[in-house]
Amino acid sequence: MEFGQENAVTRHPLWLSAVLAATVSPLFAASPKTCMTADEASKLVNKDVCVSAHVYNVVELSNGTRFLDVCTPATPDADCRFTIVSLADDRDEVGELRKYRDMDVRIRGIVQPMHGRAGMVLSHARQFYGGPPRFKPNPMLARGFNGEQSRPPILDPNLRSQGSGRTFMNTRDQETRPQSSGQHSPKPSQSF
């Protein structure tokens, strides 16, 4: 190539990088998580899975707990091995569930053991779109906390001070040093 002559590739490096990014990026894109049936999910307790199921009925108890019935009407209740539960506390985040009756749904969540069968807690509407369940803090760690306190919101023993000052360099613990001349007896260490 002579001085002053350039081809299109060397004149437009942004064009080259755009073409390269368009051809390489699909290779690294993650495929969406495949959903499994309720029977397959019932064997994966304590796993985060996507469940694809048909909702035959939506049952609401008097305390506000709602169930998505994913077993066929011909299946006896004792043989139904999977259930989807939405608690009353999550009603605002989940929304209306009756609209899912007689529909195929895909729900992401953690499969948990529930009274002799496997189930999933539906705690947020984003679970219908592949999103995670709603975060619920452990009440045993957050007890007795309000936002106006200056202490941490959890009672973690690792965050507490361990006495008065440093424990590995406590000035009260004295070691005796041997005398260089050997004439004086060493002082005994103090213990409290």
Side-chain angles (χ1 to χ4, degrees), residues 38-59:
D39 290 332
E40 294 169 342
S42 65
K43 298 173 183 127
L44 299 173
V45 177
N46 297 324
K47 302 285 184 191
D48 186 6
V49 298
C50 175
V51 175
S52 177
H54 183 82
V55 178
Y56 291 97
N57 197 8
V58 178
V59 179

Side-chain angles (χ1 to χ4, degrees), residues 1-2 8 19-20 24 29 33 42 47 56 63 65 80 98-99 101 108 120 125 136 139 142 150 163 177-178 188:
M1 191 167 26
E2 289 185 27
V19 169
L20 185 62
V24 174
K33 197 173 197 176
S42 65
K47 302 285 184 191
Y56 291 97
N63 65 0
T65 303
C80 186
R98 286 182 289 203
K99 64 183 175 183
R101 180 179 290 143
R108 176 185 167 199
M120 183 180 293
K136 294 182 181 180
S150 61
R177 295 184 183 159

Side-chain angles (χ1 to χ4, degrees), residues 51-168:
V51 175
S52 177
H54 183 82
V55 178
Y56 291 97
N57 197 8
V58 178
V59 179
E60 184 169 351
L61 300 180
S62 61
N63 65 0
T65 303
R66 299 175 291 173
F67 294 89
L68 298 180
D69 187 6
V70 295
C71 294
T72 63
T75 306
D77 190 42
D79 293 339
C80 186
R81 305 306 309 156
F82 194 82
T83 187
I84 299 170
V85 179
S86 178
L87 303 175
D89 295 342
D90 300 328
R91 183 178 286 276
D92 292 338
E93 287 83 8
V94 173
E96 184 58 46
L97 291 178
R98 286 182 289 203
K99 64 183 175 183
Y100 296 109
R101 180 179 290 143
D102 295 324
M103 287 182 61
D104 292 328
V105 295
R106 295 166 54 115
I107 301 174
R108 176 185 167 199
I110 298 171
V111 178
Q112 301 172 357
M114 295 183 179
H115 303 288
R117 64 179 73 182
M120 183 180 293
V121 176
L122 178 62
S123 60
H124 202 280
R126 67 178 167 231
Q127 289 177 264
F128 286 110
Y129 309 104
R134 189 178 99 183
F135 173 75
K136 294 182 181 180
N138 185 341
M140 294 304 293
L141 293 177
R143 66 176 180 234
F145 173 76
N146 65 35
E148 297 163 356
Q149 295 174 338
S150 61
R151 66 180 181 85
I154 56 175
L155 299 174
D156 188 351
N158 294 321
L159 297 177
R160 279 186 281 168
S161 64
Q162 302 293 323
S164 60
R166 300 180 221 155
T167 57
F168 68 95

